[in-house]
Amino acid sequence: MLTPAAMLVFVASFATAQESQTSPSQAVDMTKGLSEWDKIYAVFSHPRCADCHVADGRPRWSGAHYGGTRVHAFNVQRGDDGSGFGNPGLRCTTCHFASNSNALHGPPGAENWRLAPAEMAWFGKSSAEICAQIKDPARNGGRSLDDIALHVRDDRLVGWGWAPGSNREPAPGSAEATFQAIENWLAVGSPCPVP
Ligand code: HEC
Ligand code: HEC
């Protein structure tokens, strides 16, 4: 039989052990986290985002507006200098200006229109692959997940994905909702789906 004093000690040490295992900053809520990730993935994998995040340096045209997915016309490339602005003589900004052309099939636009660097490519990758990639500072421009959330909320090229012009289907949701989903995902431990 435990004396009342021994019971108290037992209860107190049990509570301490429990607390240290489930401190809020460590806890990963898989169910909530994966449901937030699904919202983020739906945006990142959408053609309005993925078509600029390509590994082979060839932007894509896709969606009903384009009649499927194909490589960008005019043999457009990332560019030999790796900047993403295209080769000399055929820079993105030859055709893409700071705002959308209103003409059907006219070039869309936003400031500094260019391809994402090769290490930030996720066109055609799985949900698990994209998830691991955007958490990896070596492949996300040295960003924390807070930085990623802010980039998604404030960057103009990202913002274009929700206002692509000329009958193009926008990315799902909004910049603000995606910012919030990344913050919510981060708060529950930012879990990734199993590959
Ligand atoms: C016109 C091309 C273009 C479009 C469209 C575009 N991006 Fe990007 N994206 C870039 C470029 C260029 C960078 C690199 C910017 C930097 O590192 O400062 C980048 C970087 C990023 C980054 C930070 C680095 C990383 O890989 O984690 C995120 C996050 C991102 N884009 C998300 C999106 C989302 C979400 C959309 C759609 C809503 C989108 N992008 C649409 C060109 C584009
Ligand atoms: C010779 C002109 C020209 C050049 C150079 C050019 N583009 Fe385009 N781009 C267009 C036109 C026109 C469209 C719209 C086509 C349509 O709607 O049918 C377009 C559309 C796009 C789209 C929208 C695709 C989608 O489905 O979301 C992206 C992304 C894109 N270009 C990226 C780039 C990048 C990055 C560069 C530079 C590396 C570049 N373009 C260079 C003319 C050009």
Side-chain angles (χ1 to χ4, degrees):
M1 251 322 236
L2 293 172
T3 63
M7 282 280 280
L8 261 182
V9 171
F10 177 73
V11 168
S13 60
F14 182 72
T16 309
Q18 281 286 93
E19 246 161 50
S20 68
Q21 276 170 38
T22 59
S23 85
S25 60
Q26 300 293 318
V28 176
D29 180 339
M30 287 302 276
T31 309
K32 164 115 171 104
L34 291 180
S35 101
E36 294 298 330
W37 168 254
D38 283 346
K39 298 180 206 166
I40 301 163
Y41 170 68
V43 172
F44 278 53
S45 60
H46 190 277
R48 293 297 86 67
C49 302
D51 285 353
C52 270
H53 285 261
V54 293
D56 61 3
R58 324 273 313 262
R60 297 302 195 276
W61 285 354
S62 38
H65 181 72
Y66 298 95
T69 296
R70 48 192 147 122
V71 167
H72 194 301
F74 321 118
N75 193 28
V76 162
Q77 311 262 349
R78 179 188 311 288
D80 295 337
D81 61 1
S83 67
F85 281 99
N87 282 319
L90 199 58
R91 297 285 193 202
C92 311
T93 48
T94 309
C95 304
H96 293 273
F97 305 124
S99 60
N100 290 325
S101 156
N102 292 322
L104 184 66
H105 297 293
E111 255 167 62
N112 289 320
W113 190 270
R114 67 195 188 283
L115 273 185
E119 73 273 14
M120 299 180 193
W122 59 66
F123 178 91
K125 289 189 184 174
S126 71
S127 175
E129 286 171 324
I130 298 175
C131 189
Q133 174 176 340
I134 71 154
K135 289 168 72 166
D136 178 1
R139 292 182 289 165
N140 75 11
R143 292 173 167 95
S144 67
L145 284 178
D146 268 323
D147 296 334
I148 296 280
L150 290 171
H151 182 85
V152 166
R153 192 190 65 185
D154 300 335
D155 183 78
R156 302 226 175 135
L157 292 178
V158 180
W160 171 84
W162 287 284
S166 197
N167 284 339
R168 290 178 191 92
E169 182 190 274
S174 66
E176 185 62 37
T178 311
F179 164 79
Q180 202 52 60
I182 297 171
E183 289 294 337
N184 295 346
W185 177 59
L186 179 54
V188 296
S190 53
C192 283
V194 178

